[in-house]
């Protein structure tokens, strides 16, 4: 399933989100596909809003399938796991990304160490969620206005970066999504629940559309 064509960060008309973990077979695939699923729920087709969602791994298993337990987690949420192929994180992925969301602080540090002015647009997922919760949606561009969702998303990243030094994590562990690789399905489901919970306010802030109530 493709959600857009390639384009450098800041390219008019598109906003590229890159999820990063270690092997790109557990956490980042779950996060990528849950993000896509949530965007589809809100927008019908994320391409309408110009949002592109991808993932890669700092020690990515290039060409590998998603872990079976990760697929099971996505099925729990009704998300699509089909067609996934693991990727090793490359400079080009970081250059093209408008927002990089990592599983852990170590991943964040590795992305930033690659350069490409990535520091202001790279966060751990849970860190970004914490910052987004502190941003007044009324200060962001109207997603239905002339600037659309892409400019809203860029404004959200700028606002989060500005808050980062002021709104610190309650503990070092608060910004981590731990690796379920090799763990039984219940642990994968626990990690999937953490990711889903962290993503909900982020997708709502990006799109201006709250999650549908069951």
């Amino acid at each position: 399933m493709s959600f857009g064509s390639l384009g450098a960060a800041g390219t008019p008309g598109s906003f590229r989100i890159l999820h990063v973990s270690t092997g790109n077979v557990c956490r980042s695939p779950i996060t990528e596909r849950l993000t896509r699923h949530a965007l589809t729920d809100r927008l019908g087709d994320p391409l309408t809003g110009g949002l592109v969602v991808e993932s890669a791994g700092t020690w990515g298993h290039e060409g590998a399938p998603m872990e079976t337990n990760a697929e099971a987690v996505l099925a729990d949420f009704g998300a699509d796991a089909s067609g996934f192929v693991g990727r090793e994180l490359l400079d080009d992925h970081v250059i093209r990304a408008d927002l990089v969301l990592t599983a852990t602080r170590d991943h964040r540090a590795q992305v930033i160490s690659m350069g490409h002015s990535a520091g202001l647009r790279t966060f751990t997922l849970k860190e970004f969620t914490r910052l987004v919760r502190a941003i007044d949606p009324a200060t962001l561009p109207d997603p239905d206005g002339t600037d659309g969702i892409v400019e809203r998303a860029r404004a959200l990243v700028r606002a989060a970066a500005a808050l980062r030094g002021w709104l610190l994590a309650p503990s070092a562990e608060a910004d981590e999504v731990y690796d379920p690789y090799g763990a039984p399905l219940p642990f994968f489901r626990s990690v999937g629940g953490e990711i889903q919970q962290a993503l909900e306010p982020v997708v709502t802030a990006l799109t201006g559309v709250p999650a549908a109530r069951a």
Side-chain angles (χ1 to χ4, degrees):
M1 175 164 47
S2 175
F3 278 70
S5 57
L6 297 180
T11 300
S14 68
F15 183 89
R16 201 171 200 89
I17 302 168
L18 176 67
H19 293 295
V20 174
S21 62
T22 303
N24 194 215
V25 292
C26 298
R27 287 168 292 182
S28 51
I30 291 172
T31 316
E32 172 196 318
R33 294 307 175 93
L34 287 180
T35 304
R36 292 185 181 186
H37 182 64
L39 289 171
T40 299
D41 278 350
R42 288 162 171 79
L43 302 176
D45 180 354
L47 279 179
T48 304
L51 301 176
V52 183
V53 185
E54 300 179 308
S55 64
T58 55
W59 290 87
H61 299 180
E62 188 73 28
M66 192 185 309
E67 282 287 295
T68 301
N69 282 348
E71 291 186 355
V73 168
L74 292 175
D76 289 344
F77 290 101
D80 183 11
S82 65
F84 180 84
V85 178
R87 303 191 307 174
E88 182 175 357
L89 181 67
L90 303 176
D91 289 85
D92 193 49
H93 300 146
V94 177
I95 291 168
R96 293 170 186 262
D98 296 282
L99 172 62
V100 184
L101 296 176
T102 70
T104 70
R105 292 165 296 150
D106 282 348
H107 297 132
R108 182 185 63 195
Q110 288 178 67
V111 171
I112 292 172
S113 74
M114 295 171 73
H116 316 302
S117 303
L120 292 177
R121 51 194 167 90
T122 303
F123 309 80
T124 76
L125 171 62
K126 289 185 175 180
E127 173 192 23
F128 194 65
T129 300
R130 184 177 69 254
L131 298 171
V132 162
R133 288 185 185 276
I135 297 167
D136 182 354
T139 64
L140 301 173
D142 183 351
D144 296 322
T146 55
D147 293 330
I149 289 174
V150 167
E151 286 308 312
R152 180 184 178 90
R154 290 181 183 149
L156 184 69
V157 173
R158 290 193 298 269
L163 280 175
R164 178 151 44 189
W166 299 92
L167 192 63
L168 303 179
S171 67
E173 293 74 26
D175 284 344
E176 305 282 287
V177 175
Y178 291 106
D179 193 356
Y181 186 76
L185 182 56
F187 188 71
F188 267 82
R189 286 186 163 136
S190 174
V191 168
E194 285 183 37
I195 292 170
Q196 174 74 358
Q197 185 176 27
L199 281 175
E200 196 282 327
V202 170
V203 175
T204 297
L206 284 169
T207 62
V209 180
R213 297 299 178 189

